[in-house]
Amino acid sequence: MPKILVSDPIDQVGIDILSQVAQVDVKTGLPPAELTKIISDYDALMIRSGTQVTQDVIEAGTQLKIIGRAGVGVDNVDVAAATRQGIVVVNSPEGNTIAAAEHALAMMLSLSRYIPEANQSVKKGEWNRKAFVGAEVYKKTLGIVGLGKIGSHVAKAAKAMGMKLLAYDPFISIERADQLGCRLVELDLLVREADYITLHMPKTAETANLLNAEMLAKMKPTARIINCARGGLIDEAALAQALEEGRLAGAALDVFGNEPLEADSPLRKLGKNLILTPHLGASTAEAQVNVAIDVAEQIRDVLLGLPARSAVNIPGLYPDTMEKLRPYLQLAETLGNLVGQLAGGRVDQLNVRLQGDLADLESKPIVVAALKGLLSPALRERVNYVNASIEAKERGIRVIETRDASVRDYTGSLLLEAKGSLGEHSVTGVLLGDAEIRITSVDDFPINVPPIQHMLFTRHRDMPGIIGKIGSLLGSFNVNIASMQVGRQIVRGDAVMALSLDDPLPEGILDEIMKVPGIRDAYTVTL
């Protein structure tokens, strides 16, 4: 009989499910050395956030088939090491959806009616009704920033309460927003028009301090903000100042840039126009049960030879197939990431064309890898090889797959074309030598460059002086160019320039590049 180790506290219902197929040992609080010592006896490992599943633990787990994290993230698991060992890693990405959405709604209503302060007032023996005249949410405008699973549930509930809904999400289609009763708008308009703003997105380089002092200044003085998503999405110092000066009606925060919230945080000094809770979004009895059931069922299924539904690495492929496809999956993910950043706005359709020898390979994992790359800039660790297709479907992204074995520029190539709100862009890539990725075309202009972390692409007129001006401009901003290549179709027509950079582009330089005569478009890409 298989053996399962549970190394963090989980709900008993999860242990009961695991016991259907295996011997379950519950040993919590194990030191890393002890876990590494005993893990070779087990076929599966179930954890929460306490256990650190390092490369040493994974390599010692010679019998491990699956690692299950009863929660959303897998930050405490070395997923790459697990994948190399052929171990499936699963989590529960939807287990706390309802809990987080309900907490956001509860915060909004509590903020509107001053419930926490009124509660304390009555307990002190006071009866000051005039001090707590609140506001109704009925017919008010709710701006939802991030229309994924949690944001969508908030939208449904808010619509039922009679609220008008605005939404900002660059990766959601207009059709999907319409289904939820939301008017899809740009963030600037949402900030100006909303009576309430609720955030439901991951923290990335693009979303950090999304609501900064400039954005907060655009809001109505009667507006209120709710953040039950991630700390760092709001400039906390700017928010505290706006609340203190009466430029905003209120805010309710469950998450913070640093947790626990610092003792000297200016947020602690504010009164009834600010509600603070200690990251309770997923803290319901039901959510804890849900994640335990979800992950336990997946561990049970994998041990029975069935696929996992929420794997964060690549499940369901035999080792020989996996080994053959691995470099092509990386190619597809890289190209998906690149074309998504070139497209910039909302993507409605992704065309995936397998060319040459690639046309003979199993295509589904390659398509999924391309979608993972496309969605990664927005969703980060929330998107994986299993849920990428679901996430794309929920965002209204249509995927069209074609094959063309007759294309023989290289042994095999992959072409991705993204169509969306800001137009169309395409990229083609190949594998050279020892699985080295090369970008061989951008928007049908031929180039030949390896992808690196920081890149700049321009669309410009093929005319003397362009290259020198761009090089001088980058130099004036202390940006070093690692390599540069120009692709053109005809002399003195349009051309594409691809620059590989040693440094990220400083803020404002893209605007300066667009001022160079002959430059039509410029795009920064971070891979």
Side-chain angles (χ1 to χ4, degrees):
M1 175 179 279
K3 293 179 66 178
I4 301 171
L5 175 63
V6 177
S7 60
D8 288 320
I10 66 166
D11 193 274
Q12 182 63 38
V13 66
I15 295 174
D16 292 342
I17 291 170
L18 298 175
S19 299
Q20 297 172 3
V21 296
Q23 173 188 324
V24 181
D25 294 339
V26 179
K27 299 179 180 180
T28 61
L30 292 172
E34 181 65 18
L35 177 61
T36 304
K37 181 179 178 180
I38 67 172
I39 195 63
S40 61
D41 293 336
Y42 293 95
D43 300 274
L45 173 64
M46 187 168 181
I47 63 171
R48 289 185 65 191
S49 58
T51 301
Q52 297 297 314
V53 187
T54 64
Q55 181 174 339
D56 289 343
V57 172
I58 289 168
E59 290 179 350
T62 52
Q63 302 300 317
L64 278 180
K65 299 176 181 64
I66 181 170
I67 299 167
R69 158 77 155 91
V72 176
V74 286
D75 295 342
N76 53 327
V77 180
D78 189 331
V79 177
T83 302
R84 286 194 298 271
Q85 296 294 109
I87 300 168
V88 177
V89 180
V90 302
N91 66 348
S92 181
E94 299 183 30
N96 66 354
T97 295
I98 301 301
E102 288 185 355
H103 194 62
L105 293 162
M107 294 280 265
M108 179 176 68
L109 293 170
S110 296
L111 185 62
S112 297
R113 301 304 296 268
Y114 303 117
I115 291 174
E117 289 286 335
N119 171 63
Q120 290 299 316
S121 174
V122 173
K123 287 182 176 179
K124 290 177 184 177
E126 301 170 350
W127 195 261
N128 191 359
R129 297 173 64 191
K130 292 182 179 179
F132 304 111
V133 177
E136 296 181 6
V137 300
Y138 179 62
K139 291 189 177 180
K140 296 296 194 313
T141 298
L142 174 63
I144 304 172
V145 183
L147 209 53
K149 294 180 179 67
I150 297 173
S152 296
H153 189 77
V154 169
K156 294 172 185 176
K159 184 180 179 183
M161 289 192 292
M163 300 188 79
K164 302 173 185 177
L165 304 180
L166 298 179
Y168 168 73
D169 191 326
F171 297 90
I172 288 286
S173 68
I174 294 174
E175 291 74 19
R176 173 58 177 165
D178 287 343
Q179 289 173 3
L180 295 167
C182 297
R183 178 162 65 98
L184 203 60
V185 298
E186 292 301 319
L187 182 61
D188 189 81
L189 179 61
L190 182 147
V191 165
R192 293 178 187 277
E193 292 192 3
D195 299 300
Y196 296 83
I197 294 177
T198 180
L199 305 179
H200 300 286
M201 59 176 55
K203 182 188 175 185
T204 67
E206 293 74 24
T207 62
N209 280 341
L210 185 73
L211 293 188
N212 53 27
E214 180 183 357
M215 280 293 184
L216 294 173
K218 297 177 181 179
M219 295 177 62
K220 300 176 182 178
T222 56
R224 296 170 171 87
I225 298 171
I226 299 95
N227 184 16
C228 297
R230 290 289 184 271
L233 298 179
I234 303 174
D235 183 330
E236 293 174 3
L239 175 63
Q241 185 175 353
L243 291 170
E244 188 172 13
E245 296 174 358
R247 291 185 282 111
L248 287 175
L253 308 177
D254 185 49
V255 289
F256 308 91
N258 292 311
E259 296 182 0
L261 183 63
E262 304 98 323
D264 60 351
S265 169
L267 295 173
R268 290 182 179 269
K269 302 174 184 177
L270 297 168
K272 67 179 183 180
N273 62 347
L274 178 65
I275 297 175
L276 306 177
T277 55
H279 206 144
L280 300 178
S283 295
T284 65
E286 293 85 354
Q288 301 309 308
V289 170
N290 289 341
V291 296
I293 292 173
D294 188 5
V295 173
E297 287 179 346
Q298 292 185 77
I299 292 175
R300 177 199 63 194
D301 290 349
V302 168
L303 293 181
L304 291 174
L306 302 172
R309 57 179 174 267
S310 296
V312 299
N313 52 2
I314 308 174
L317 294 176
Y318 293 107
D320 55 344
T321 306
M322 172 69 173
E323 201 58 38
K324 183 178 181 180
L325 286 181
R326 190 190 307 275
Y328 294 106
L329 298 179
Q330 186 58 52
L331 170 66
E333 186 172 341
T334 300
L335 295 181
N337 196 331
L338 172 57
V339 79
Q341 293 185 61
L342 291 177
R346 183 187 68 253
V347 173
D348 300 315
Q349 180 172 307
L350 180 68
N351 296 332
V352 181
R353 188 162 75 202
L354 286 72
Q355 303 178 146
D357 289 353
L358 258 69
D360 299 326
L361 295 180
E362 184 178 354
S363 62
K364 183 177 179 180
I366 294 174
V367 173
V368 170
L371 287 171
K372 180 178 183 294
L374 181 76
L375 296 170
S376 288
L379 301 179
R380 298 299 170 107
E381 72 277 358
R382 285 170 47 203
V383 63
N384 55 60
Y385 286 103
V386 170
N387 67 13
S389 296
I390 298 170
E391 295 284 357
K393 184 177 181 180
E394 289 185 346
R395 283 157 177 75
I397 300 174
R398 184 185 180 201
V399 180
I400 298 177
E401 175 198 334
T402 58
R403 299 169 183 264
D404 189 349
S406 66
V407 177
R408 290 293 172 182
D409 292 343
Y410 293 86
T411 303
S413 60
L414 180 66
L415 183 149
L416 302 183
E417 181 184 38
K419 299 181 179 181
S421 58
L422 299 181
E424 301 178 10
H425 288 278
S426 66
V427 296
T428 304
V430 301
L431 294 176
L432 298 179
D434 189 20
E436 179 186 356
I437 298 174
R438 288 295 179 94
I439 304 166
T440 56
S441 79
V442 172
D443 293 340
D444 295 326
F445 289 90
I447 58 173
N448 191 328
V449 295
I452 70 168
Q453 184 178 10
H454 304 295
M455 303 189 77
L456 170 66
F457 293 87
T458 67
R459 179 78 173 264
H460 62 273
R461 286 176 54 206
D462 182 26
M463 57 185 284
I466 288 279
I467 296 172
K469 290 176 182 176
I470 296 297
S472 297
L473 183 57
L474 292 178
S476 70
F477 279 81
N478 199 33
V479 176
N480 196 46
I481 300 173
S483 68
M484 184 278 297
Q485 190 174 117
V486 173
R488 62 185 186 181
Q489 295 169 334
I490 59 172
V491 176
R492 304 268 179 164
D494 272 6
V496 161
M497 179 162 50
L499 296 99
S500 301
L501 309 175
D502 291 333
D503 316 285
L505 287 183
E507 188 173 346
I509 191 173
L510 209 60
D511 293 334
E512 296 300 316
I513 291 172
M514 289 299 298
K515 295 176 184 177
V516 174
I519 295 290
R520 303 190 191 281
D521 286 301
Y523 310 89
T524 57
V525 170
T526 302
L527 298 174

